[in-house]
Amino acid sequence: MTRPGFAFSTRFAVRYAEIDAQRIVFNSRYLEYADHAVEEFWRWSGMRALGAVWTEAEFHVRRTEIDYLSPFRMGDEVVAYVRIARLGTTSLTQRFELCNAATGALNCAIDMVIVHVDMATGRPLPITGQVRSALEKLGER
């Protein structure tokens, strides 16, 4: 399944442990879905080929905006689309669109800003060099 503006997607099923008494997915699970999807996205991206400049880079979540449009239910299969929506000086915004695999309907949209940080100080660091170049190319896909 494809979605305009997205080169990457991954699929997974709603599991019993993720639903409430009404058989819909708990709100908090949508962030877990984003976490799973972005892990697969980074694996797919090829960024690890940059070596330590990428694998030792540290990014922290700064802000997340979630738009719950329609709940996922027990038995649904989720297609999670991921892209880099914006690359800033010290941060990037990841866009997640979680869709129902059977219908293609958008159930949830998530925008997550992550900031590149210096671990010693906890302060933002500019995204530069090879990492910036690779992220720019990735954002163009």
Side-chain angles (χ1 to χ4, degrees):
M1 182 178 282
T2 61
R3 189 160 182 84
F6 292 86
F8 172 82
S9 68
T10 188
R11 295 174 97 124
F12 48 90
V14 172
R15 298 173 301 175
Y16 179 78
E18 298 165 347
I19 62 169
D20 63 16
Q22 291 79 38
R23 295 185 179 215
I24 62 173
V25 172
F26 287 107
N27 291 344
S28 63
R29 296 295 185 156
Y30 291 81
L31 287 175
E32 291 179 33
Y33 290 170
D35 189 57
H36 170 74
V38 82
E39 177 182 353
E40 296 299 321
F41 173 78
W42 290 125
R43 186 183 336 262
W44 165 86
S45 74
M47 293 293 290
R48 291 184 76 76
L50 297 176
V53 295
W54 175 251
T55 60
E56 294 178 12
E58 185 65 35
F59 286 84
H60 291 179
V61 173
R62 171 66 174 95
R63 183 182 63 80
T64 302
E65 183 177 311
I66 304 173
D67 192 2
Y68 298 101
L69 302 165
S70 179
F72 285 108
R73 300 177 185 285
M74 181 64 195
D76 285 345
E77 186 175 13
V78 179
V79 181
Y81 296 91
V82 184
R83 74 171 183 235
I84 296 174
R86 181 183 170 280
L87 180 61
T89 303
T90 61
S91 67
L92 61 93
T93 302
Q94 301 166 120
R95 172 72 175 189
F96 302 85
E97 293 190 2
L98 306 179
C99 298
N100 184 301
T103 66
L106 177 63
N107 288 51
C108 182
I110 302 171
D111 291 303
M112 184 179 294
V113 177
I114 60 174
V115 178
H116 183 225
V117 297
D118 178 296
M119 288 300 291
T121 66
R123 303 294 305 155
L125 281 176
I127 302 168
T128 61
Q130 292 177 303
V131 171
R132 180 166 207 85
S133 296
L135 288 171
E136 286 171 347
K137 288 178 187 164
L138 187 56
E140 294 169 0
R141 286 188 186 176

